[in-house]
Amino acid sequence: MRPYKPKVKAPDPELILKTDHILQQNSVTTVCKESACPNRAECYQRGTATFMILGNTCTRACSFCNVKTGRGLPPDPTESERIATAIKELELSYVVITSVDRDDLPDYGAKHFESVVLSIRAIVSDVKIELLTPDFKADESALERIIECNVDKLAHNEETVRRLSPSIRAQSNYDCSLQVLKYYSTNFSGPVKSSLMVGLGESKKELIETMEDLLEAGVEELTIGQYLQPSSSHHPVICYYPPEFFEKMKTKAVEMGFREVASGTLVRSSYYADRQSY
């Protein structure tokens, strides 16, 4: 099937250069830049960005993801302050903090998330913070540490439907992700969000069943976006959906009970994260 090619606004070169300069000066990594996200200029303009902590090497090897696999370096104790400084210099109003999976660490990286949040709060007290976390293997002590960070929103991505999860996320688990989301929604006072990719071979029925599972787990906010194959060695795109599909899925999700939904070809986990706030 011929892919639908959405049009995006040409990025503001001055804004991109200024932002990249500050990021480079502070030696911090944003998902926006590393993934060459087509939405990054729009997000920067709105004062939002997504930072990736705990290095650029993941202990898992999901078939949809382009992050390299291996054993990461020990957490960098200076990273927290560098990220906080970059947020202040960029004058951001909303930030998302995410990470690679760090199954090699005793707490899966939860303490480092906490350290980053504390540093941000100390330097930029009025910025809103969302944590997009790994599953931490549903370890309750790690999940509790994340909840005690007292941020504005928690998120964890289910990514795909139950049938495809073993092949798409071989070292993860569909029900484990639901368990994490349920723990967040039960013990955290703010909104909980998740994200789905489409085009991996799922059916509409399976998508709706997954959305039902997310609602049952207490998820209030949902993003739905088109999967794009990073390289020929990754999972192939089985279907490219037209814009009308995403509009229909958004309508369905709202009807089902999700309070906030972002659905579109280029929608990613953190797209319009600042607008999905209440």
Side-chain angles (χ1 to χ4, degrees), residues 32-92:
C32 323
K33 181 181 178 182
E34 293 304 309
S35 65
C37 178
N39 306 312
R40 69 189 188 281
E42 182 182 0
C43 293
Y44 291 162
Q45 190 71 52
R46 294 200 321 275
T48 71
T50 300
F51 293 86
M52 187 164 73
I53 62 175
L54 289 167
N56 61 358
T57 303
C58 187
T59 52
R60 302 184 188 180
C62 299
S63 66
F64 68 88
C65 183
N66 202 34
V67 174
K68 65 181 179 180
T69 301
R71 187 179 180 87
L73 296 172
D76 183 345
T78 71
E79 182 174 51
S80 301
E81 187 173 348
R82 288 187 283 106
I83 287 177
T85 301
I87 290 171
K88 182 178 182 179
E89 292 177 358
L90 290 168
E91 300 179 329
L92 299 177

Short mmCIF file of all heavy atoms in Angstrom, two decimals, residues 32-92:
data_model
loop_
_atom_site.label_atom_id
_atom_site.label_comp_id
_atom_site.label_asym_id
_atom_site.label_seq_id
_atom_site.Cartn_x
_atom_site.Cartn_y
_atom_site.Cartn_z
N CYS A 32 13.45 14.42 20.71
CA CYS A 32 13.07 15.26 19.58
C CYS A 32 14.18 15.31 18.53
O CYS A 32 13.95 15.11 17.33
CB CYS A 32 12.78 16.68 20.06
SG CYS A 32 11.97 16.79 21.66
N LYS A 33 15.41 15.56 18.98
CA LYS A 33 16.53 15.69 18.05
C LYS A 33 17.04 14.33 17.58
O LYS A 33 17.26 14.11 16.38
CB LYS A 33 17.68 16.46 18.71
CG LYS A 33 18.87 16.65 17.78
CD LYS A 33 20.00 17.40 18.44
CE LYS A 33 21.18 17.53 17.49
NZ LYS A 33 22.33 18.22 18.13
N GLU A 34 17.22 13.39 18.51
CA GLU A 34 17.82 12.11 18.17
C GLU A 34 16.96 11.32 17.18
O GLU A 34 17.48 10.58 16.35
CB GLU A 34 18.04 11.28 19.44
CG GLU A 34 19.08 11.86 20.38
CD GLU A 34 20.42 12.07 19.73
OE1 GLU A 34 20.93 11.13 19.10
OE2 GLU A 34 20.97 13.18 19.82
N SER A 35 15.65 11.50 17.26
CA SER A 35 14.77 10.78 16.34
C SER A 35 14.42 11.61 15.11
O SER A 35 13.64 11.17 14.27
CB SER A 35 13.47 10.39 17.07
OG SER A 35 12.74 11.55 17.43
N ALA A 36 15.02 12.83 15.03
CA ALA A 36 14.70 13.76 13.94
C ALA A 36 13.18 13.90 13.78
O ALA A 36 12.63 13.85 12.70
CB ALA A 36 15.32 13.29 12.62
N CYS A 37 12.52 14.07 14.92
CA CYS A 37 11.05 14.13 14.93
C CYS A 37 10.55 15.29 14.06
O CYS A 37 11.04 16.42 14.20
CB CYS A 37 10.55 14.31 16.35
SG CYS A 37 8.77 14.45 16.46
N PRO A 38 9.60 15.03 13.17
CA PRO A 38 9.09 16.08 12.30
C PRO A 38 8.31 17.16 13.05
O PRO A 38 8.05 18.23 12.50
CB PRO A 38 8.16 15.32 11.33
CG PRO A 38 7.75 14.10 12.09
CD PRO A 38 8.95 13.73 12.91
N ASN A 39 7.95 16.88 14.29
CA ASN A 39 7.17 17.83 15.07
C ASN A 39 8.03 18.70 15.99
O ASN A 39 7.49 19.55 16.70
CB ASN A 39 6.15 17.08 15.95
CG ASN A 39 5.28 16.14 15.16
OD1 ASN A 39 4.73 16.49 14.14
ND2 ASN A 39 5.17 14.90 15.64
N ARG A 40 9.35 18.51 15.97
CA ARG A 40 10.15 19.11 17.03
C ARG A 40 10.15 20.64 17.00
O ARG A 40 10.11 21.28 18.06
CB ARG A 40 11.59 18.59 17.00
CG ARG A 40 12.46 19.00 15.81
CD ARG A 40 13.76 18.20 15.85
NE ARG A 40 14.74 18.62 14.88
CZ ARG A 40 14.72 18.29 13.59
NH1 ARG A 40 13.73 17.51 13.15
NH2 ARG A 40 15.65 18.70 12.77
N ALA A 41 10.16 21.26 15.81
CA ALA A 41 10.14 22.72 15.76
C ALA A 41 8.83 23.26 16.33
O ALA A 41 8.82 24.26 17.05
CB ALA A 41 10.31 23.20 14.32
N GLU A 42 7.74 22.57 16.03
CA GLU A 42 6.44 22.98 16.55
C GLU A 42 6.42 22.89 18.07
O GLU A 42 5.91 23.78 18.76
CB GLU A 42 5.35 22.10 15.94
CG GLU A 42 3.94 22.45 16.38
CD GLU A 42 2.89 21.50 15.80
OE1 GLU A 42 3.25 20.58 15.04
OE2 GLU A 42 1.71 21.70 16.12
N CYS A 43 6.98 21.80 18.60
CA CYS A 43 7.02 21.62 20.05
C CYS A 43 7.94 22.65 20.71
O CYS A 43 7.59 23.23 21.75
CB CYS A 43 7.47 20.21 20.40
SG CYS A 43 6.27 18.94 19.92
N TYR A 44 9.12 22.87 20.12
CA TYR A 44 10.03 23.87 20.66
C TYR A 44 9.35 25.24 20.71
O TYR A 44 9.51 26.00 21.66
CB TYR A 44 11.29 23.98 19.80
CG TYR A 44 12.22 22.78 19.84
CD1 TYR A 44 13.18 22.60 18.83
CD2 TYR A 44 12.17 21.84 20.86
CE1 TYR A 44 14.05 21.51 18.85
CE2 TYR A 44 13.03 20.75 20.88
CZ TYR A 44 13.97 20.60 19.87
OH TYR A 44 14.83 19.53 19.88
N GLN A 45 8.61 25.56 19.66
CA GLN A 45 7.92 26.85 19.59
C GLN A 45 6.92 27.01 20.72
O GLN A 45 6.69 28.11 21.23
CB GLN A 45 7.20 26.98 18.24
CG GLN A 45 6.66 28.38 17.94
CD GLN A 45 7.77 29.37 17.64
OE1 GLN A 45 8.63 29.13 16.78
NE2 GLN A 45 7.77 30.48 18.36
N ARG A 46 6.32 25.89 21.14
CA ARG A 46 5.32 25.93 22.21
C ARG A 46 5.97 25.80 23.59
O ARG A 46 5.28 25.80 24.61
CB ARG A 46 4.30 24.79 22.05
CG ARG A 46 3.42 24.89 20.83
CD ARG A 46 2.15 24.05 21.00
NE ARG A 46 2.39 22.79 21.67
CZ ARG A 46 2.79 21.67 21.07
NH1 ARG A 46 3.01 21.67 19.76
NH2 ARG A 46 2.98 20.56 21.74
N GLY A 47 7.30 25.68 23.62
CA GLY A 47 8.00 25.58 24.89
C GLY A 47 7.98 24.20 25.50
O GLY A 47 7.97 24.05 26.73
N THR A 48 7.99 23.16 24.65
CA THR A 48 7.99 21.79 25.16
C THR A 48 9.13 21.00 24.53
O THR A 48 9.58 21.31 23.41
CB THR A 48 6.66 21.07 24.86
OG1 THR A 48 6.57 20.81 23.45
CG2 THR A 48 5.47 21.91 25.28
N ALA A 49 9.58 19.97 25.23
CA ALA A 49 10.62 19.08 24.71
C ALA A 49 10.61 17.79 25.52
O ALA A 49 10.13 17.76 26.65
CB ALA A 49 11.99 19.73 24.78
N THR A 50 11.16 16.73 24.92
CA THR A 50 11.25 15.43 25.58
C THR A 50 12.71 15.05 25.74
O THR A 50 13.44 14.93 24.76
CB THR A 50 10.51 14.35 24.78
OG1 THR A 50 9.14 14.71 24.66
CG2 THR A 50 10.62 13.00 25.46
N PHE A 51 13.14 14.85 26.99
CA PHE A 51 14.53 14.51 27.28
C PHE A 51 14.66 13.02 27.57
O PHE A 51 13.82 12.44 28.26
CB PHE A 51 15.02 15.31 28.49
CG PHE A 51 15.13 16.78 28.24
CD1 PHE A 51 14.03 17.61 28.40
CD2 PHE A 51 16.33 17.33 27.83
CE1 PHE A 51 14.13 18.96 28.17
CE2 PHE A 51 16.44 18.70 27.59
CZ PHE A 51 15.33 19.51 27.75
N MET A 52 15.74 12.42 27.05
CA MET A 52 16.00 11.01 27.30
C MET A 52 17.18 10.88 28.25
O MET A 52 18.26 11.41 27.98
CB MET A 52 16.29 10.25 26.00
CG MET A 52 16.40 8.75 26.21
SD MET A 52 16.27 7.80 24.68
CE MET A 52 17.85 8.17 23.92
N ILE A 53 16.96 10.18 29.36
CA ILE A 53 17.98 10.04 30.38
C ILE A 53 18.52 8.61 30.40
O ILE A 53 18.02 7.74 29.72
CB ILE A 53 17.44 10.42 31.77
CG1 ILE A 53 16.29 9.49 32.19
CG2 ILE A 53 16.95 11.87 31.78
CD1 ILE A 53 15.78 9.72 33.61
N LEU A 54 19.57 8.42 31.19
CA LEU A 54 20.17 7.09 31.41
C LEU A 54 20.85 6.53 30.16
O LEU A 54 20.92 5.31 29.98
CB LEU A 54 19.12 6.11 31.93
CG LEU A 54 18.66 6.36 33.37
CD1 LEU A 54 17.40 5.56 33.69
CD2 LEU A 54 19.78 6.00 34.35
N GLY A 55 21.34 7.42 29.31
CA GLY A 55 22.13 6.98 28.16
C GLY A 55 21.32 6.68 26.92
O GLY A 55 20.10 6.86 26.89
N ASN A 56 22.02 6.22 25.88
CA ASN A 56 21.38 5.94 24.59
C ASN A 56 21.46 4.46 24.21
O ASN A 56 21.31 4.10 23.05
CB ASN A 56 22.02 6.79 23.49
CG ASN A 56 23.51 6.49 23.32
OD1 ASN A 56 24.08 5.67 24.05
ND2 ASN A 56 24.14 7.16 22.39
N THR A 57 21.70 3.61 25.22
CA THR A 57 21.78 2.16 24.97
C THR A 57 20.73 1.45 25.81
O THR A 57 20.70 1.60 27.04
CB THR A 57 23.17 1.63 25.33
OG1 THR A 57 24.16 2.34 24.57
CG2 THR A 57 23.28 0.15 25.01
N CYS A 58 19.87 0.69 25.16
CA CYS A 58 18.77 0.00 25.82
C CYS A 58 19.11 -1.46 26.06
O CYS A 58 19.76 -2.10 25.22
CB CYS A 58 17.51 0.12 24.96
SG CYS A 58 15.99 -0.51 25.73
N THR A 59 18.67 -2.00 27.18
CA THR A 59 18.93 -3.40 27.47
C THR A 59 17.95 -4.33 26.75
O THR A 59 18.10 -5.55 26.82
CB THR A 59 18.85 -3.67 28.99
OG1 THR A 59 17.61 -3.17 29.49
CG2 THR A 59 20.00 -3.00 29.72
N ARG A 60 16.97 -3.76 26.07
CA ARG A 60 16.02 -4.57 25.31
C ARG A 60 16.18 -4.30 23.83
O ARG A 60 16.87 -3.36 23.43
CB ARG A 60 14.58 -4.27 25.77
CG ARG A 60 14.39 -4.52 27.25
CD ARG A 60 12.96 -4.34 27.71
NE ARG A 60 12.85 -4.41 29.16
CZ ARG A 60 11.72 -4.29 29.84
NH1 ARG A 60 10.58 -4.10 29.18
NH2 ARG A 60 11.72 -4.36 31.16
N ALA A 61 15.54 -5.13 23.02
CA ALA A 61 15.70 -5.02 21.56
C ALA A 61 14.33 -5.15 20.90
O ALA A 61 14.03 -6.16 20.26
CB ALA A 61 16.65 -6.08 21.04
N CYS A 62 13.49 -4.13 21.05
CA CYS A 62 12.16 -4.15 20.44
C CYS A 62 12.28 -3.99 18.92
O CYS A 62 13.10 -3.21 18.45
CB CYS A 62 11.29 -3.05 21.03
SG CYS A 62 11.04 -3.22 22.81
N SER A 63 11.46 -4.70 18.19
CA SER A 63 11.62 -4.75 16.74
C SER A 63 11.15 -3.48 16.03
O SER A 63 11.35 -3.34 14.83
CB SER A 63 10.86 -5.96 16.17
OG SER A 63 9.46 -5.81 16.35
N PHE A 64 10.54 -2.55 16.76
CA PHE A 64 10.08 -1.30 16.15
C PHE A 64 11.03 -0.15 16.43
O PHE A 64 10.93 0.92 15.82
CB PHE A 64 8.69 -0.92 16.67
CG PHE A 64 8.67 -0.52 18.13
CD1 PHE A 64 8.90 0.80 18.51
CD2 PHE A 64 8.44 -1.45 19.11
CE1 PHE A 64 8.88 1.16 19.85
CE2 PHE A 64 8.42 -1.10 20.45
CZ PHE A 64 8.65 0.22 20.82
N CYS A 65 11.97 -0.35 17.35
CA CYS A 65 12.75 0.77 17.90
C CYS A 65 14.17 0.81 17.34
O CYS A 65 14.82 -0.22 17.19
CB CYS A 65 12.79 0.64 19.43
SG CYS A 65 13.65 1.99 20.25
N ASN A 66 14.65 2.04 17.11
CA ASN A 66 15.96 2.22 16.49
C ASN A 66 17.07 2.48 17.51
O ASN A 66 18.20 2.72 17.13
CB ASN A 66 15.90 3.39 15.49
CG ASN A 66 17.00 3.31 14.45
OD1 ASN A 66 17.40 2.22 14.04
ND2 ASN A 66 17.49 4.45 14.02
N VAL A 67 16.74 2.45 18.79
CA VAL A 67 17.76 2.65 19.82
C VAL A 67 18.65 1.42 19.90
O VAL A 67 18.16 0.29 19.85
CB VAL A 67 17.10 2.92 21.19
CG1 VAL A 67 18.15 3.00 22.30
CG2 VAL A 67 16.29 4.21 21.15
N LYS A 68 19.96 1.63 20.02
CA LYS A 68 20.88 0.48 20.05
C LYS A 68 20.71 -0.31 21.33
O LYS A 68 20.31 0.20 22.38
CB LYS A 68 22.32 0.95 19.88
CG LYS A 68 22.86 1.80 21.01
CD LYS A 68 24.31 2.21 20.69
CE LYS A 68 24.88 3.10 21.80
NZ LYS A 68 26.28 3.50 21.52
N THR A 69 21.05 -1.60 21.23
CA THR A 69 20.88 -2.53 22.34
C THR A 69 22.23 -2.88 22.95
O THR A 69 23.23 -3.05 22.24
CB THR A 69 20.19 -3.81 21.87
OG1 THR A 69 18.92 -3.48 21.31
CG2 THR A 69 19.98 -4.78 23.03
N GLY A 70 22.27 -3.00 24.27
CA GLY A 70 23.51 -3.39 24.95
C GLY A 70 23.41 -3.09 26.42
O GLY A 70 22.31 -2.90 26.96
N ARG A 71 24.54 -3.05 27.08
CA ARG A 71 24.60 -2.72 28.51
C ARG A 71 25.03 -1.27 28.63
O ARG A 71 26.08 -0.88 28.13
CB ARG A 71 25.58 -3.64 29.24
CG ARG A 71 25.56 -3.47 30.75
CD ARG A 71 26.54 -4.43 31.42
NE ARG A 71 26.55 -4.28 32.87
CZ ARG A 71 25.72 -4.93 33.69
NH1 ARG A 71 24.84 -5.77 33.18
NH2 ARG A 71 25.77 -4.75 35.00
N GLY A 72 24.21 -0.47 29.28
CA GLY A 72 24.50 0.96 29.38
C GLY A 72 25.56 1.28 30.42
O GLY A 72 25.95 0.43 31.23
N LEU A 73 26.02 2.52 30.40
CA LEU A 73 26.98 3.01 31.39
C LEU A 73 26.25 3.28 32.70
O LEU A 73 25.02 3.43 32.73
CB LEU A 73 27.64 4.29 30.89
CG LEU A 73 28.49 4.16 29.63
CD1 LEU A 73 28.92 5.55 29.15
CD2 LEU A 73 29.71 3.29 29.89
N PRO A 74 26.97 3.36 33.81
CA PRO A 74 26.33 3.72 35.08
C PRO A 74 25.66 5.08 34.96
O PRO A 74 26.11 5.95 34.19
CB PRO A 74 27.51 3.77 36.07
CG PRO A 74 28.55 2.90 35.45
CD PRO A 74 28.41 3.08 33.98
N PRO A 75 24.59 5.32 35.70
CA PRO A 75 23.92 6.63 35.64
C PRO A 75 24.90 7.76 35.93
O PRO A 75 25.72 7.67 36.85
CB PRO A 75 22.85 6.52 36.74
CG PRO A 75 22.55 5.06 36.82
CD PRO A 75 23.87 4.37 36.58
N ASP A 76 24.80 8.83 35.15
CA ASP A 76 25.69 9.98 35.29
C ASP A 76 25.12 10.92 36.35
O ASP A 76 24.04 11.50 36.15
CB ASP A 76 25.79 10.70 33.94
CG ASP A 76 26.75 11.88 33.97
OD1 ASP A 76 27.13 12.32 35.06
OD2 ASP A 76 27.09 12.37 32.88
N PRO A 77 25.82 11.11 37.47
CA PRO A 77 25.28 11.96 38.54
C PRO A 77 25.15 13.43 38.15
O PRO A 77 24.46 14.19 38.83
CB PRO A 77 26.29 11.77 39.68
CG PRO A 77 27.55 11.32 39.01
CD PRO A 77 27.12 10.52 37.83
N THR A 78 25.82 13.85 37.08
CA THR A 78 25.73 15.25 36.65
C THR A 78 24.59 15.48 35.67
O THR A 78 24.29 16.64 35.34
CB THR A 78 27.04 15.70 35.98
OG1 THR A 78 27.18 15.07 34.69
CG2 THR A 78 28.25 15.35 36.83
N GLU A 79 23.95 14.41 35.19
CA GLU A 79 22.93 14.56 34.16
C GLU A 79 21.73 15.37 34.65
O GLU A 79 21.18 16.20 33.92
CB GLU A 79 22.46 13.19 33.67
CG GLU A 79 21.43 13.28 32.55
CD GLU A 79 21.07 11.92 31.97
OE1 GLU A 79 20.74 11.00 32.75
OE2 GLU A 79 21.15 11.77 30.75
N SER A 80 21.33 15.15 35.89
CA SER A 80 20.15 15.83 36.42
C SER A 80 20.28 17.34 36.36
O SER A 80 19.38 18.04 35.88
CB SER A 80 19.91 15.39 37.87
OG SER A 80 19.72 14.00 37.96
N GLU A 81 21.41 17.84 36.83
CA GLU A 81 21.61 19.30 36.84
C GLU A 81 21.75 19.84 35.43
O GLU A 81 21.28 20.94 35.12
CB GLU A 81 22.84 19.65 37.68
CG GLU A 81 23.00 21.16 37.87
CD GLU A 81 24.11 21.51 38.85
OE1 GLU A 81 24.61 20.61 39.55
OE2 GLU A 81 24.48 22.70 38.89
N ARG A 82 22.39 19.09 34.54
CA ARG A 82 22.56 19.56 33.15
C ARG A 82 21.20 19.67 32.46
O ARG A 82 20.95 20.62 31.70
CB ARG A 82 23.49 18.61 32.39
CG ARG A 82 24.95 18.74 32.82
CD ARG A 82 25.91 17.94 31.96
NE ARG A 82 25.88 16.52 32.27
CZ ARG A 82 25.33 15.59 31.52
NH1 ARG A 82 24.72 15.93 30.39
NH2 ARG A 82 25.37 14.30 31.86
N ILE A 83 20.33 18.72 32.69
CA ILE A 83 19.00 18.78 32.09
C ILE A 83 18.23 19.97 32.66
O ILE A 83 17.58 20.72 31.92
CB ILE A 83 18.23 17.47 32.33
CG1 ILE A 83 18.80 16.36 31.45
CG2 ILE A 83 16.73 17.64 32.06
CD1 ILE A 83 18.17 15.00 31.66
N ALA A 84 18.29 20.15 33.97
CA ALA A 84 17.59 21.28 34.60
C ALA A 84 18.09 22.61 34.06
O ALA A 84 17.29 23.52 33.78
CB ALA A 84 17.77 21.21 36.11
N THR A 85 19.39 22.72 33.86
CA THR A 85 19.96 23.96 33.32
C THR A 85 19.49 24.20 31.89
O THR A 85 19.14 25.33 31.51
CB THR A 85 21.50 23.90 33.36
OG1 THR A 85 21.93 23.72 34.71
CG2 THR A 85 22.11 25.18 32.81
N ALA A 86 19.48 23.15 31.09
CA ALA A 86 19.01 23.27 29.70
C ALA A 86 17.55 23.71 29.66
O ALA A 86 17.16 24.56 28.84
CB ALA A 86 19.19 21.94 28.96
N ILE A 87 16.72 23.15 30.54
CA ILE A 87 15.30 23.51 30.58
C ILE A 87 15.15 25.00 30.91
O ILE A 87 14.33 25.70 30.30
CB ILE A 87 14.56 22.64 31.61
CG1 ILE A 87 14.48 21.20 31.09
CG2 ILE A 87 13.18 23.19 31.92
CD1 ILE A 87 13.97 20.21 32.12
N LYS A 88 15.96 25.48 31.87
CA LYS A 88 15.90 26.90 32.24
C LYS A 88 16.34 27.78 31.08
O LYS A 88 15.68 28.78 30.77
CB LYS A 88 16.77 27.15 33.46
CG LYS A 88 16.73 28.59 33.93
CD LYS A 88 17.57 28.79 35.18
CE LYS A 88 17.48 30.25 35.66
NZ LYS A 88 18.28 30.45 36.90
N GLU A 89 17.44 27.43 30.42
CA GLU A 89 17.96 28.25 29.32
C GLU A 89 17.03 28.24 28.12
O GLU A 89 16.93 29.23 27.38
CB GLU A 89 19.36 27.76 28.93
CG GLU A 89 20.40 28.03 30.02
CD GLU A 89 21.77 27.48 29.66
OE1 GLU A 89 21.91 26.86 28.59
OE2 GLU A 89 22.71 27.67 30.47
N LEU A 90 16.33 27.14 27.90
CA LEU A 90 15.39 27.04 26.79
C LEU A 90 14.04 27.66 27.13
O LEU A 90 13.18 27.78 26.25
CB LEU A 90 15.18 25.56 26.41
CG LEU A 90 16.36 24.87 25.74
CD1 LEU A 90 16.14 23.36 25.70
CD2 LEU A 90 16.57 25.41 24.32
N GLU A 91 13.86 28.02 28.40
CA GLU A 91 12.61 28.64 28.87
C GLU A 91 11.40 27.76 28.56
O GLU A 91 10.36 28.22 28.09
CB GLU A 91 12.43 30.04 28.25
CG GLU A 91 13.56 30.99 28.62
CD GLU A 91 13.38 32.37 28.00
OE1 GLU A 91 12.80 32.46 26.90
OE2 GLU A 91 13.81 33.35 28.62
N LEU A 92 11.56 26.48 28.84
CA LEU A 92 10.48 25.53 28.57
C LEU A 92 9.41 25.61 29.65
O LEU A 92 9.71 25.87 30.82
CB LEU A 92 11.03 24.11 28.50
CG LEU A 92 12.09 23.84 27.41
CD1 LEU A 92 12.60 22.41 27.50
CD2 LEU A 92 11.52 24.10 26.02
#
